[in-house]
Amino acid sequence: SWGLLSSAYGGDISPLRLVPDSLIGFSSDNGPAYAILVEKETQTLTLYEFNGTFSLKYRFPCSTGEVVGEKLVSGDQKTPEGVYFFTKQFSRKHLAPIYGSRAFVMDYPNFMDRKHKRSGNSIWLHGSDKPIKPRDSNGCVALNNDDLDVLATYIQLNRTPIVVVKKMNLVSPQVQVQTKESLTDFLNDWKKAL
């Protein structure tokens, strides 16, 4: 039970209305947009829909790297933390059975990873040929095939972000809007200064 969280804005906010602080907001000009969030601590993958505000659409159990911690080097069996995008999709016929019904390639290492000298490759979101269990991958994010098949309908290559965090921090939508506005103001000021 989540209980209720008292808000600085008065009243109570239902935990179902809270949103992850790692999701800031993005354009949804062509209808709803989607973001995937992986919480390594609870081995949970969530799909959020954004249509002006974020709302939870699905929650699935997932499996991340066998070794706890942030990925640093190739072969460390850790799942990277950060914001990534999917660059390719493979169907079952192009995969070894271990990857299940399909796989999406993540753009790890991205610019920030390379800047911090993190290495590695072949980090995927994929299915499995057996029921998943916590922390049972070599660094990828694995889902049960049926869950991945549902999720796949919401993924657009190079557009749908997957945000991987150690622990999700939930905030009120008002706090999220303030964070977005503050970040936008900072970026606009920075752009003017350049």
Side-chain angles (χ1 to χ4, degrees):
S1 168
W2 289 62
L4 293 176
L5 178 69
S6 178
S7 168
Y9 301 99
D12 291 327
I13 296 176
S14 164
L16 298 177
R17 297 233 349 157
L18 296 176
V19 292
D21 66 355
S22 53
L23 300 178
I24 298 295
F26 45 90
S27 174
S28 63
D29 297 337
N30 299 327
Y34 299 93
I36 298 167
L37 193 123
V38 174
E39 184 179 38
K40 290 166 52 174
E41 186 172 286
T42 62
Q43 298 290 281
T44 303
L45 181 147
T46 50
L47 176 69
Y48 282 85
E49 179 179 77
F50 183 78
N51 203 358
T53 59
F54 282 100
S55 60
L56 177 64
K57 189 144 184 85
Y58 289 104
R59 178 178 283 126
F60 302 115
C62 71
S63 181
T64 61
E66 290 179 27
V67 179
V68 175
E70 189 171 349
K71 183 164 196 61
L72 299 173
V73 296
S74 182
D76 65 8
Q77 296 184 311
K78 296 178 182 179
T79 300
E81 296 173 14
V83 179
Y84 302 98
F85 291 89
F86 302 106
T87 59
K88 294 180 188 171
Q89 178 180 193
F90 294 108
S91 62
R92 181 187 303 266
K93 68 182 178 180
H94 296 106
L95 296 169
I98 191 171
Y99 297 110
S101 63
R102 67 183 73 224
F104 292 89
V105 178
M106 294 166 54
D107 66 348
Y108 176 86
N110 62 22
F111 171 78
M112 293 302 291
D113 295 313
R114 290 188 304 273
K115 183 176 187 234
H116 289 96
K117 303 200 183 325
R118 294 182 207 123
S119 67
N121 53 44
S122 301
I123 301 296
W124 295 1
L125 169 66
H126 63 78
S128 180
D129 62 346
K130 61 185 180 189
I132 62 162
K133 58 184 182 179
R135 293 179 184 82
D136 193 35
S137 85
N138 285 322
C140 293
V141 177
L143 289 173
N144 289 312
N145 290 325
D146 290 345
D147 295 340
L148 183 56
D149 292 343
V150 169
L151 185 66
T153 63
Y154 298 95
I155 294 175
Q156 290 183 349
L157 296 182
N158 299 305
R159 184 163 192 263
T160 305
I162 179 168
V163 181
V164 183
V165 297
K166 177 182 176 184
K167 181 167 176 46
M168 188 175 1
N169 184 35
L170 297 174
V171 297
S172 73
Q174 294 93 336
V175 168
Q176 186 186 48
V177 167
Q178 287 177 339
T179 301
K180 180 181 178 181
E181 289 171 354
S182 176
L183 181 59
T184 301
D185 290 345
F186 169 78
L187 292 174
N188 286 333
D189 290 346
W190 183 62
K191 184 178 176 182
K192 287 178 191 175
L194 287 176

